[in-house]
Amino acid sequence: KQEVTQIPAALSVPEGENLVLNCSFTDSAIYNLQWFRQDPGKGLTSLLLIQSSQREQTSGRLNASLDKSSGRSTLYIAASQPGDSATYLCAVRTLIQGAQKLVFGQGTRLTINP
Amino acid sequence: GAGVSQSPRYKVAKRGQDVALRCDPISGHVSLFWYQQALGQGPEFLTYFQNEAQLDKSGLPSDRFFAERPEGSVSTLKIQRTQQEDSAVYLCASSLLGLAGNEQFFGPGTRLTVL
């Protein structure tokens, strides 16, 4: 059974710092991995989608890496801003266990202090 | 429409009541998903449709939960005889094709509170 873990559960940093959020998964047979952002009371906004054949994706100040063999992904946020404060979720789509569904981690709650 | 929409955004029900939650996917999207998100947790898969066919309902927690998508567009998630443990945010997502690599786009969710 695929399980996704995110560390840390919460993170608070001063504005301007670079930071890394971690995601690990137990089953390396995945189609892709997706990072989402969730603001309080809102739905999920997709940030980056990494296919299983890719090693990283970049969008603006965000960079996500994928190491399928070790079951890990990181989300790197450069020059953090207060507007980056939100919960960040990673999710994997697994080949074996119901390929169409996403399996989510519990999220990292990020606070950027001005 | 421009994105996935859900209604109502908030629903308060008394224990034992039936509720119906609606999802309007992005126009033309073949696949539709329902997820349940408890407070402080990540979303958990409930069920998946491709057009009008319900291909996976392995995540539905009990036979009180029922989902339909009769015309392959709008979907309704129905919960009968609601219990307090049903309190959660119910998220709907859609994707263009029935392919595993396709990105899922999420709606804002319906927050259900069962008293």
Side-chain angles (χ1 to χ4, degrees), chain A residues 28-84:
Chain A
S28 62
I30 64 170
Y31 274 114
N32 55 47
L33 182 144
Q34 203 164 351
W35 281 94
F36 294 88
R37 168 186 174 137
Q38 186 172 34
D39 293 283
K42 301 292 178 64
L44 278 62
T45 300
S46 179
L47 298 173
L48 291 163
L49 172 66
I50 311 177
Q51 301 293 351
S52 62
S53 58
Q54 298 174 320
R55 291 195 61 87
E56 67 176 335
Q57 282 285 342
T58 297
S59 176
R61 295 182 293 108
L62 305 179
N63 176 277
S65 67
L66 174 63
D67 184 342
K68 210 171 57 166
S69 61
S70 68
R72 293 182 182 182
S73 176
T74 61
L75 179 66
Y76 175 83
I77 303 177
S80 59
Q81 303 171 356
D84 295 331

Side-chain angles (χ1 to χ4, degrees), chain A residues 4 6 21 23 33-38 43-45 47-48 75 86-91 104-108, chain B residues 37 40-43 91:
Chain A
V4 180
Q6 291 187 246
L21 307 181
C23 172
L33 182 144
Q34 203 164 351
W35 281 94
F36 294 88
R37 168 186 174 137
Q38 186 172 34
L44 278 62
T45 300
L47 298 173
L48 291 163
L75 179 66
T87 296
Y88 290 79
L89 293 154
C90 75
F104 284 84
Q106 292 188 325
T108 293
Chain B
Q37 186 176 23
Q41 304 294 315
L91 295 165

Side-chain angles (χ1 to χ4, degrees), chain B residues 68-80:
Chain B
E68 60 183 6
R69 193 186 186 199
E71 297 180 358
S73 55
V74 171
S75 177
T76 303
L77 176 67
K78 297 180 179 178
I79 309 173
Q80 297 177 324

Side-chain angles (χ1 to χ4, degrees), chain B residues 54-76:
Chain B
Q54 189 174 19
L55 299 186
D56 187 348
K57 54 182 180 178
S58 61
L60 296 176
S62 78
D63 59 7
R64 296 185 296 104
F65 286 71
F66 172 76
E68 60 183 6
R69 193 186 186 199
E71 297 180 358
S73 55
V74 171
S75 177
T76 303

Side-chain angles (χ1 to χ4, degrees), chain B residues 93-107:
Chain B
S94 70
S95 66
L96 179 60
L97 298 173
L99 301 176
N102 277 186
E103 185 174 359
Q104 293 184 18
F105 298 89
F106 282 78

Side-chain angles (χ1 to χ4, degrees), chain B residues 2-94:
Chain B
V4 179
S5 61
Q6 294 185 246
S7 61
R9 292 293 315 280
Y10 304 91
K11 177 69 178 177
V12 178
K14 292 183 179 179
R15 190 163 62 94
Q17 280 186 332
D18 298 348
V19 299
L21 312 180
R22 177 187 169 106
C23 172
D24 285 78
I26 294 173
S27 179
H29 276 200
V30 167
S31 297
L32 186 145
F33 306 80
W34 284 98
Y35 293 84
Q36 179 191 58
Q37 186 176 23
L39 188 64
Q41 304 294 315
E44 292 195 358
F45 171 82
L46 294 176
T47 188
Y48 156 63
F49 290 86
Q50 186 164 319
N51 296 306
E52 69 279 4
Q54 189 174 19
L55 299 186
D56 187 348
K57 54 182 180 178
S58 61
L60 296 176
S62 78
D63 59 7
R64 296 185 296 104
F65 286 71
F66 172 76
E68 60 183 6
R69 193 186 186 199
E71 297 180 358
S73 55
V74 171
S75 177
T76 303
L77 176 67
K78 297 180 179 178
I79 309 173
Q80 297 177 324
R81 304 181 304 281
T82 53
Q83 305 293 316
Q84 285 189 324
E85 61 262 30
D86 300 335
S87 295
V89 175
Y90 290 85
L91 295 165
C92 176
S94 70

